[in-house]
Amino acid sequence: MGVIKVKDLIFEYIRRDEEGNVEGITTAVDDVSLDINQGDFVSILGHNGSGKSTLAKHLNAILYPTEGTVWVDGKDTKKDEYLWDIRQTAGMVFQNPDNQIIGQVVEEDVGFGPENMGVPTKEIWERVEESLKAVGMYEFRKHSPNKLSGGQKQRVSIAGVIAMHPKCIILDEPTAMLDPKGRKEVIRAVRALNDVEKITIILITHYMEEVIYSDKVYVMDKGKVALQGTPREIFSQVERLRKLRLDVPQVTLLAHELKQEGFPIPEGILTKEEFAEAIDRCADML
Ligand code: ADP
Ligand code: MG
């Protein structure tokens, strides 16, 4: 079993009026199954309201299945006795870094998690140092978080999660509120955690450029998994993605359009480098 396993998950929000009478039911996650192995980098794409956040909240026991089962490191999230184990195994990073940072000083903030876990003081400082280094924020350890940029703050919140030594980090649109520079910093840090520390990553995003590094991509639509595959398999389906109201990376789109015009270019071009190579080969043939 993978570090995260989701089987036949259904989640319904029950909407109530002011008197508490049931007004209706929204099926936010509708029969989803996932199996994510230790060390994988998985991305979840989907337009607004497709159920990504609801799914993510099941992966560290913020929400519990209406039907189906979620296991984190083999532990059923429905069982109360596993709650703290699960929260420690699967750390969560949200959209707004301002809501996640509570310390007055960066290093203090990063230390809160391990402190709450009862980690001995000496080890807390070791963890704070290693976590800040892992996200490239060590030199800011004595700074006030208030003065940092959005990308820096988000890297501090990621450090706060990794200081708890999770096996897996779930990031729910961590770059949505950042400028392009901040987005790049955060994605670079996340990739390093996966490459170097072998932490399992589940990245929820709607920036297409951010998912090209993943081992696997899931595309959600109306609570269901509409597509799954490698980034190349996913981005080879430009028309399908458009129907799911998703864009593709600009180079992928350009390559697709040239192919439509009859140029011998493969589908699923992901980077500028691949695009340049394909164009070179094209030029050789003409
Ligand atoms: P995403 O993260 O992909 O935007 P969400 O998981 O937030 O999607 O939402 C999925 C569906 O569930 C949407 O239809 C949304 O309106 C609904 N929903 C989300 N949160 C709640 C809530 N707290 N109460 C009722 N409905 C909700
Ligand atoms: Mg969301």
Side-chain angles (χ1 to χ4, degrees):
M1 188 190 280
V3 65
I4 299 240
K5 188 170 163 80
V6 175
K7 189 161 188 305
D8 309 330
L9 174 64
I10 295 176
F11 184 82
E12 293 171 344
Y13 287 107
I14 297 172
R15 298 192 310 277
R16 293 176 190 274
D17 65 13
E18 280 150 26
E19 271 102 59
N21 303 312
V22 175
E23 268 186 330
I25 290 177
T26 305
T27 306
V29 176
D30 191 3
D31 198 13
V32 166
S33 296
L34 308 172
D35 201 344
I36 297 173
N37 290 320
Q38 179 67 42
D40 279 357
F41 186 149
V42 170
S43 296
I44 301 179
L45 283 174
H47 60 80
N48 273 338
S50 59
K52 304 180 300 296
S53 294
T54 306
L55 171 62
K57 286 175 185 158
H58 281 80
L59 308 184
N60 80 338
I62 297 173
L63 291 175
Y64 305 100
T66 306
E67 283 177 41
T69 315
V70 176
W71 293 270
V72 174
D73 209 14
K75 298 186 174 86
D76 185 340
T77 61
K78 265 191 194 139
K79 301 208 167 131
D80 282 344
E81 68 263 35
Y82 295 143
L83 182 66
W84 293 110
D85 272 353
I86 286 169
R87 294 265 168 91
Q88 197 207 311
T89 305
M92 188 95 166
V93 175
F94 297 94
Q95 216 175 71
N96 189 345
D98 289 322
N99 298 340
Q100 299 170 76
I101 293 180
I102 37 179
Q104 301 296 314
V105 179
V106 164
E107 60 184 1
E108 201 178 274
D109 185 84
V110 176
F112 275 138
E115 192 179 351
N116 283 338
M117 282 163 55
V119 173
T121 311
K122 182 169 167 286
E123 195 189 330
I124 293 177
W125 290 112
E126 287 164 9
R127 289 191 185 200
V128 167
E129 182 179 331
E130 114 213 323
S131 307
L132 283 170
K133 283 181 176 162
V135 298
M137 286 297 291
Y138 185 63
E139 60 187 295
F140 293 92
R141 64 193 177 282
K142 304 285 182 195
H143 287 227
S144 157
N146 298 325
K147 301 220 174 86
L148 302 176
S149 73
Q152 291 170 332
K153 280 186 198 169
Q154 196 59 298
R155 284 187 285 150
V156 171
S157 22
I158 295 171
V161 171
I162 54 185
M164 297 198 274
H165 286 180
K167 289 189 176 170
C168 173
I169 303 184
I170 302 128
L171 303 107
D172 190 358
E173 303 204 29
T175 60
M177 306 184 74
L178 307 181
D179 59 15
K181 181 167 174 283
R183 254 184 262 154
K184 275 200 189 117
E185 289 168 12
V186 167
I187 294 303
R188 199 178 299 135
V190 167
R191 287 178 68 193
L193 295 181
N194 182 251
D195 273 352
V196 183
E197 320 282 339
K198 308 295 172 207
I199 297 177
T200 310
I201 302 289
I202 300 173
L203 174 67
I204 297 172
T205 181
H206 49 235
Y207 290 110
M208 300 299 139
E209 281 78 4
E210 296 179 356
V211 314
I212 63 174
Y213 312 109
S214 338
D215 299 307
K216 183 155 187 183
V217 181
Y218 291 92
V219 182
M220 289 191 68
D221 183 49
K222 300 192 192 90
K224 293 180 183 296
V225 174
L227 284 177
Q228 53 180 300
T230 62
R232 204 176 301 284
E233 286 162 358
I234 297 293
F235 290 129
S236 297
Q237 304 177 56
V238 173
E239 306 305 331
R240 184 82 205 281
L241 289 169
R242 280 191 178 147
K243 285 204 186 93
L244 295 168
R245 289 183 276 157
L246 290 168
D247 295 322
V248 296
Q250 274 177 347
V251 281
T252 310
L253 189 59
L254 186 55
H256 174 74
E257 283 170 356
L258 286 171
K259 186 180 158 77
Q260 300 299 100
E261 295 295 322
F263 289 91
I265 288 181
E267 285 288 353
I269 293 276
L270 297 175
T271 62
K272 286 181 191 150
E273 291 72 25
E274 285 177 12
F275 182 71
E277 274 171 34
I279 293 290
D280 268 356
R281 271 198 304 271
C282 234
D284 287 346
M285 280 185 235
L286 294 172

